[in-house]
Amino acid sequence: VGSGIASASSIPVAGTDVSDRVSGSRLETAPDVAVGSWAPRDFRNARPAAPPVSPAGAFDIPDLAPVRGMAASVANGPFVPTDTKQFPLRTHGKIFFRVGSIEYVCSGTVISSRGRNVIFTAGHCVYDTESADYVDQLVFVPAYDGNSADPEPFGRWGATAVFTSSRY
């Protein structure tokens, strides 16, 4: 994400496969316009983007006890971080985007990349299966906390392109 990070020639046009595993699109709205199009109330009112299929099975963790005495567990329910401004929590945040006139929110995380400009999120947060099109006006807000006096401590960053698995 970020204005001017990737050159226009390196970003594929909508629906173009960049490999046999990834598909992507330039966003229609320029990053600076996208950033300016969001008001704090838009962030607060954004709907969580629901995946097209129930992810209930995603939390099924196999019983690893028979394998060399290993075990695993996961807590189901809400997770509330304590101080989102401290590392590493500040690398996590919210992704806000629009599909038509509807505003959505997902979680996202900054990942290590050569250009230091890549956010990792779920496929349904960048590609809308109902409209069969990529989302638009996507912004990333690191350490976003809508209940804080300073909900955007590190600002907002507009995306230039989005990518997801071709299988998605």
Side-chain angles (χ1 to χ4, degrees):
V1 294
S3 178
I5 299 292
S7 69
S9 62
S10 68
I11 301 171
V13 296
T16 301
D17 280 340
V18 293
S19 78
D20 62 345
R21 293 181 220 126
V22 177
S23 178
S25 177
R26 284 180 240 171
L27 295 183
E28 292 181 25
T29 305
D32 55 338
V33 173
V35 165
S37 73
W38 290 88
R41 74 177 164 353
D42 299 330
F43 289 157
R44 286 190 302 275
N45 294 331
R47 306 175 188 185
V53 178
S54 172
F59 296 108
D60 291 341
I61 296 179
D63 181 10
L64 299 177
V67 180
R68 289 179 263 127
M70 298 176 70
S73 66
V74 65
N76 194 3
F79 169 72
V80 180
T82 52
D83 187 357
T84 59
K85 293 180 187 175
Q86 297 300 314
F87 184 82
L89 293 177
R90 69 178 177 215
T91 65
H92 307 291
K94 296 294 181 182
I95 292 173
F96 297 92
F97 58 92
R98 292 186 174 101
V99 175
S101 62
I102 302 174
E103 297 158 342
Y104 293 96
V105 61
C106 279
S107 295
T109 301
V110 176
I111 62 171
S112 180
S113 67
R114 186 179 310 164
R116 300 173 53 152
N117 61 346
V118 177
I119 306 299
F120 185 78
T121 191
H124 69 275
C125 300
V126 298
Y127 186 81
D128 179 50
T129 55
E130 285 187 29
S131 66
D133 201 4
Y134 292 90
V135 304
D136 195 30
Q137 300 174 5
L138 188 144
V139 298
F140 175 65
V141 183
Y144 178 79
D145 181 356
N147 297 318
S148 169
D150 183 15
E152 304 171 46
F154 301 107
R156 17 175 126 166
W157 304 86
T160 57
V162 292
F163 300 90
T164 190
S165 162
S166 297
R167 292 181 182 178
Y168 182 79

